[in-house]
Amino acid sequence: MRYRLTVIGTGYLGITHAACMAAMGFEVLGLDVDADKIARLNAGELPIHEPGLEPVLRRGLDSGRLRFTTSYEEVAAFGDVHFVCVGTPQKRGEYAADVSYIDGAVESLAPLLDRACLVVGKSTVPVGTAERLADKLVRLSPVGAAAELAWNPEFLREGFAVQDTLHPDRIVLGVRSERAEKVLREVYEPLGDVPIVVSDFATAELVKTAANAFLATKISFINAMAEVCEAAHADVQLLSKALSYDDRIGGRYLNAGLGFGGGCLPKDIRAFMARAGELGADQALTFLREVDAINMRRRARMVDLARELAGGSFHGCTVGVLGAAFKPDSDDIRDSPALGVAVAIGHQGGRVTVYDPIALDNARKAHPELSYGESAVDAVRGAHVVLLLTEWQEFVELDPEQLGGVVAARRIVDGRNCLDAEAWRSAGWHYRALGRP
Ligand code: UGA
C-alpha cells in the first residue's frame, strides 16, 4: 500500500521532509498554522534559504503529489502517517525545551482522527516526551489505540537538508509495535540500503540529543585546544589537522573558531542537561555545562581580540562584520555567534556594519540597532577592524588588495580560520585568528 503522508510544521525540517517524501513518490499534505507561509509554499516559494530545496518543492507541487494547508481536519482526513516536525525552542529564561508546540499539534490532530493511523514524532524532544504523547494520543483520539505513536528523530543539517534527507546515514525508529515498524520501513524503503536501528521510544529520543551533544562536545574540545594554543603560542589549525589523521578522532567538526550556534546544538545541549536533572542524572551531563561555557567564551574572546586590534577601545572605532548567519549556506540567525559578537561590540561603543549574502533581512529584523552593508566591500568601507565571522565562500575568496583599498586600517580577525593567512599578511594586513599565533 502507498501511504498518504502528512507533515505538521513547516520549518527547515518540515518543508524538507514534505518535499522529499513527495519526491520519493508519496502523496503529501503539509500543515502549518501560519497561513502566510502556507500560501507561499503552495505558490512554490520557500520561506527559508535552503540550497537545492526549491526545485524539489516545485516538482512536488507540479506533480500534484504535494500541497500545503492550515486545516487539521484536512490533515486528519488525508493521512495514514502523520509526521510531526514542529519546533522545540529553548524556554525563555530556562535551559529546558518548550514542548508546547508538539503537545499542541497532538491535541489538535488527535480528536479529528477517525481511522487507524501512525503519528510519527520527528522533532527533537526531551526523553520521556514520546511516552507522554502516546498516552495523550490514545486518550484524545476517537479511535483509541488504533492511532499509534512512533518516534523517528531527524539528523539533517541546514544547508544540506535535501541531501541528508534523501541519503541519510541511518534511520532510527522508536516503535511499540510490529505494525508501526512495518509502516515506517515501507515509508523509507525508496531510500534504499540505509542502516535502520529499531528501538524503544526513550532510546530513539536520546539518540538525537546524544548525537548533537557529541558534535557540540567535539567542537568545544577543539576550541578549548584553541584557548591553550593561544596561551602557548601554538597553532590550533595544525593541531587539528594532525589529530584528524587519527581515524578514531576524524577531522569533521574539528574546525576551531567562533564555535557553534543555530537553532539546534546550543538549545539541545541545554535541554539535555535540564532533562537529565529532572531524571536525577544531572551529574552525567555536567560536562555539557563546560562545553557550553567554552563555546560562549569564543564569542567573548573574539570581542576582546577585536578591541585589542582597535587599540584598546571601540569608542570612535568602525568595525566591519562579515557574516550574520550561524553558518554559511543558511539564512538562519538563531543564536548566531556572528551576530552575538556584532551586538556585543555595538554595546561597547563600536560602530558596527554587518554584511551577509543571505541572512541580511533576518538580521535586520532581529537587530535594527546595527548598520548593514549591501556587500562585503560596502560593510568594511572605512573600517578600523574587519571581522570574518561566518565562512561564506564569497568571503573566503575576498581579495585582500581590493578590500585593503576601502578600509581605514588593514586589520582583520578571521573568526573561522578560513582565510589564507599568508596572502592577507603579504597584502599588508595585520591578520589575527582564534587559536593561532
Ligand atoms: C545540527 C546537526 O549537525 C544535525 O545533525 C542535526 O540534525 C541538527 O543540528 C538538528 O538538531 O536539527 P545544524 O544546526 O544545521 O545541524 O548545524 P551544523 O552544521 O551541525 O553546525 C552547527 C554549528 O557548529 C555552526 O554554527 C557551525 O559553524 C559550528 N561548527 C561546526 C564549528 O564551529 N566547527 C565545526 O567544526 C563544525
Side-chain angles (χ1 to χ4, degrees), residues 166-249:
L166 295 177
H167 307 280
D169 40 24
R170 80 290 212 187
I171 291 170
V172 176
L173 305 179
V175 291
R176 279 186 167 170
S177 75
E178 280 178 18
R179 177 183 80 120
E181 179 183 338
K182 182 172 164 291
V183 169
L184 284 171
R185 280 186 184 274
E186 285 178 38
V187 166
Y188 288 119
E189 209 217 10
L191 295 181
D193 201 12
V194 181
I196 295 183
V197 179
V198 179
S199 76
D200 52 275
F201 284 172
T203 307
E205 293 168 309
L206 277 174
V207 173
K208 174 58 191 276
T209 16
N212 276 3
F214 188 88
L215 295 171
T217 304
K218 200 170 177 192
I219 298 168
S220 274
F221 172 84
I222 200 63
N223 282 333
M225 295 306 110
E227 285 188 29
V228 178
C229 283
E230 279 161 26
H233 308 290
D235 186 331
V236 74
Q237 281 285 88
L238 295 174
L239 177 81
S240 166
K241 185 176 175 191
L243 290 177
S244 75
Y245 291 114
D246 185 331
D247 282 346
R248 295 168 304 172
I249 298 175

Side-chain angles (χ1 to χ4, degrees), residues 42 46 49 56 59 109 117-118 127 141 145 175 192 220 222 281 290 295 305 315 336 355 377 416 425 428 430:
N42 276 325
L46 270 188
H49 174 82
V56 185
R59 275 199 297 275
L109 177 68
C117 63
L118 196 61
V127 59
S141 99
V175 291
S220 274
I222 200 63
E290 215 37 62
N295 191 52
L305 209 52
H315 287 284
S336 163
Y355 172 71
V377 170
R416 293 293 181 180
R425 285 192 176 122
H430 182 168

